[in-house]
Amino acid sequence: MATIETAGIVKRFGAVEALSGVDLVVERGELFGLIGPDGGGKSTLLRVLATLIPADSGKVVIEGLDAGRDYREIRSLVGYMPSRFSLYPDLTVEENLKLFAALFRVPAGDNYSLAGGILEHLLPFRKRRAAALSGGMKQKLALCCALVHEPSVLLLDEPTTGIDPVSRDELWRILGRLKRRGVAIVVSTPYMDEARLCDRVALVMQGRFLDAGTPGEIVERHGRETWAARADGMSRLLVDLRSSPLVESCHAFGDQHHVTPSPGASIERLREEMTARGHRVEIREIVPGIEDCFIRVASAHTA
Amino acid sequence: MKAIETEALTKRFGNFTAVDSISFDVKRGEIFGFLGANGAGKTTAMRVLCGLSKPTSGRAIVAGHDVAARPERVKRRIGYMSQRFSLYEGLKVWENIRLYAGIYGARSADIRERSDALLRELDFEEGRDKLVRSLPTGWKQKLAFSVAIFHEPEIVFLDEPTGGVDPVARRQFWELIYKAADRGITVFVTTHYMDEAEYCDRVSIMVDGKIAALDSPRGLKEQFRATTMDEVFRILARGDDARAL
């Protein structure tokens, strides 16, 4: 039996269909990522899984329990971290932890086995008000609070938004540890480098899963031939690449531009064309990543 | 003339030094990336530069005015947008534009015409009567940015404008930043996306209240023998999170 099993979840808000038939299976010890454009349905799905809002139709089963009927039991098995910081800012770190422990009727000790490593980071600040913590620390505290009752399912809505790269690494190391302890984790993220760290990811768009699979499978199915281009004037290069008939699409990727070539185009011909337009350009073929696939799929569906 | 000039700018809260004697310049029309770990002092420094918080010592001239002596003059000549608060969720798109334009002293005759132009430029005319609450994050942020530069400020301060924004919307947002910079608006921006650091003309990285490095992305990569800005950031900002507090 899978830890999370859903079939055909539909959720409407007035005239808007936020979820239009989502099928999701997450196994014990699996880290499942949700990526997709803003407004695609990621947060709604997480809230349905957390039993905070009921689905209009479809099946949601968590640890063999039905979300419509057994939501009370499910809540004691699920840890949920919403995207907005939702702890009590005026309470200290320690008070927040005690409050969550009390709400879930578990002892308020320091030895929550799941939260173990994170708690150590927090202890030096136990008397500090939550509002006065740095962004990374706030997220660690929120994660600790979501773990006080040792849930077997962890639902995280953009836990790393607003968090610097070093703290992000730390949070993902913690998720890796929880996964090895058997926790089933569903996490949404706008960072495509994080999608690579998931066992499987789903592209969530317009209320449904456009595709789901391992990061490798996603790239295999949606990746196209991709070239990386670099020159001195990058913003001018972007404009010129986009206007070239040899280029189907082109997007900025940090210090290079990623080009999807038109059928039949070659690197040599594009290099000649860009040189003729005055660029000292360097172009080479690269292996596309999840972010390339995301942009391709998202653009195709919103165009 | 420089858009921003600071000299030993310092901000303390009690015995905690949030901004520790920073000195740097931002050129006019430049896109300046202001990076640092959570808790390194970025937001505090930005608040001082916007005239929202008085420096404890040192000096900052922003858009030609001293932030300590003339904070109101500074505020009138800058735009500001943060990730957390940008627009009124319960107001419609056009109501937000009218409100902000009015606050910045635009004449009501101009507001209608220019807000139509703004929506046209964003290709968002059909969104005019929508409640801001109903918009996806990416649209909210693009709109908030357009509103923040509606009064043609000399400098716009952007505090994590693309936090939580998807890859496609992030790129669209940066195209707006480029357009503003082309019009001569200086852009001062914080971000946790290291690919966005590459889009800046120059980048500073703050560590423990101090500016630990400042150069073009290429210069920083050479200096730290790194291949990406992500590596540069990690080299400078590693150290335990406890210290970053």
Side-chain angles (χ1 to χ4, degrees), chain B residues 16-116:
Chain B
F16 173 68
T17 306
V19 177
D20 194 356
S21 188
I22 59 174
S23 304
F24 70 102
D25 295 343
V26 176
K27 293 173 214 152
R28 275 214 164 157
E30 188 170 35
I31 301 176
F32 190 88
F34 196 58
L35 309 189
N38 298 115
K42 299 187 304 290
T43 301
T44 305
M46 201 181 244
R47 286 176 56 79
V48 170
L49 293 175
C50 290
L52 296 170
S53 169
K54 243 187 162 51
T56 310
S57 63
R59 217 163 70 103
I61 309 291
V62 174
H65 296 285
D66 186 305
V67 295
R70 300 211 180 276
E72 296 311 316
R73 295 256 172 108
V74 170
K75 284 180 209 166
R76 239 172 280 154
R77 303 181 73 164
I78 63 170
Y80 174 79
M81 172 196 162
S82 83
Q83 181 203 344
R84 260 161 292 176
F85 177 80
S86 42
L87 301 169
Y88 287 91
E89 300 255 314
L91 294 182
K92 290 175 183 165
V93 166
W94 72 270
E95 290 171 329
N96 268 288
I97 300 173
R98 189 183 60 178
L99 173 69
Y100 280 97
I103 288 172
Y104 279 108
R107 282 176 308 166
S108 45
D110 293 345
I111 292 176
R112 170 164 285 273
E113 197 176 309
R114 289 191 46 218
S115 62
D116 286 348

Side-chain angles (χ1 to χ4, degrees), chain A residues 77-123:
Chain A
L77 301 172
V78 170
Y80 167 64
M81 201 171 134
S83 60
R84 283 200 186 175
F85 183 65
S86 55
L87 303 180
Y88 290 86
D90 292 333
L91 297 185
T92 64
V93 166
E94 194 169 45
E95 287 165 343
N96 268 296
L97 284 166
K98 279 186 178 160
L99 173 67
F100 274 78
L103 289 172
F104 283 105
R105 300 199 174 93
V106 294
D110 288 343
N111 297 321
Y112 314 117
S113 68
L114 284 182
I118 330 169
L119 266 178
E120 277 165 35
H121 287 247
L122 286 169
L123 286 182

Side-chain angles (χ1 to χ4, degrees), chain A residues 30-33 35 194-203 211-223 289-290 293:
Chain A
E30 190 177 22
L31 183 44
F32 194 97
I35 57 176
E194 295 180 347
R196 276 184 320 172
L197 304 174
C198 298
D199 296 314
R200 286 189 300 146
V201 291
L203 279 166
D211 197 9
T214 65
E217 287 165 352
I218 298 280
V219 171
E220 215 166 276
R221 286 200 283 264
H222 301 279
I290 293 243
C293 299

Side-chain angles (χ1 to χ4, degrees), chain A residues 1-300:
Chain A
M1 185 188 69
T3 303
I4 300 175
E5 267 190 270
T6 83
I9 303 178
V10 172
K11 179 69 195 176
R12 286 184 208 90
F13 296 108
V16 179
E17 197 164 85
L19 295 176
S20 318
V22 172
D23 305 326
L24 166 71
V25 175
V26 185
E27 305 286 343
R28 187 173 184 277
E30 190 177 22
L31 183 44
F32 194 97
L34 304 176
I35 57 176
D38 308 321
K42 304 185 296 289
S43 297
T44 305
L45 176 59
L46 287 167
R47 291 171 65 206
V48 168
L49 295 176
T51 75
L52 289 174
I53 51 173
D56 293 328
S57 62
K59 189 181 78 165
V60 180
V61 177
I62 290 175
E63 297 279 25
L65 298 162
D66 179 88
R69 195 185 55 224
D70 311 317
Y71 61 89
R72 283 198 179 79
E73 290 91 319
I74 289 177
R75 284 179 192 172
S76 67
L77 301 172
V78 170
Y80 167 64
M81 201 171 134
S83 60
R84 283 200 186 175
F85 183 65
S86 55
L87 303 180
Y88 290 86
D90 292 333
L91 297 185
T92 64
V93 166
E94 194 169 45
E95 287 165 343
N96 268 296
L97 284 166
K98 279 186 178 160
L99 173 67
F100 274 78
L103 289 172
F104 283 105
R105 300 199 174 93
V106 294
D110 288 343
N111 297 321
Y112 314 117
S113 68
L114 284 182
I118 330 169
L119 266 178
E120 277 165 35
H121 287 247
L122 286 169
L123 286 182
F125 310 102
R126 62 195 305 161
K127 300 290 181 201
R128 195 186 287 236
R129 288 192 313 122
L133 294 173
S134 73
M137 277 295 177
K138 273 184 188 153
Q139 293 307 78
K140 281 184 209 164
L141 175 59
L143 186 55
C144 267
C145 288
L147 291 170
V148 281
H149 56 304
E150 315 247 309
S152 55
V153 176
L154 189 57
L155 308 169
L156 307 167
D157 198 355
E158 295 197 4
T160 52
T161 287
I163 304 302
D164 70 66
V166 176
S167 301
R168 284 210 287 137
D169 284 354
E170 234 176 279
L171 212 72
W172 275 87
R173 273 201 299 276
I174 294 167
L175 296 189
R177 226 165 38 224
L178 292 169
K179 170 185 133 70
R180 286 192 293 279
R181 300 279 300 271
V183 179
I185 305 172
V186 185
V187 55
S188 69
T189 179
Y191 291 95
M192 295 302 123
D193 57 339
E194 295 180 347
R196 276 184 320 172
L197 304 174
C198 298
D199 296 314
R200 286 189 300 146
V201 291
L203 279 166
V204 190
M205 232 166 272
Q206 291 157 356
R208 54 180 99 232
F209 283 5
L210 234 54
D211 197 9
T214 65
E217 287 165 352
I218 298 280
V219 171
E220 215 166 276
R221 286 200 283 264
H222 301 279
R224 285 261 314 271
E225 184 174 356
T226 305
W227 302 341
R230 209 189 295 224
D232 275 336
M234 288 299 276
S235 56
R236 200 165 59 84
L237 180 66
L238 184 65
V239 173
D240 286 346
L241 283 169
R242 281 186 176 162
S243 69
S244 165
L246 301 171
V247 172
E248 188 181 295
S249 65
C250 179
H251 298 279
F253 268 75
D255 65 346
Q256 47 195 14
H257 297 326
H258 286 192
V259 173
T260 305
S262 303
S266 71
I267 289 184
E268 289 67 36
R269 278 175 57 209
L270 186 61
R271 193 181 292 125
E272 279 165 25
E273 191 191 319
M274 289 302 124
T275 307
R277 294 206 205 180
H279 295 285
R280 281 182 52 196
V281 69
E282 188 189 305
I283 308 176
R284 64 198 167 88
E285 182 164 5
I286 54 162
V287 178
I290 293 243
E291 190 150 353
D292 295 286
C293 299
F294 180 97
I295 292 175
R296 154 173 314 287
V297 175
S299 310

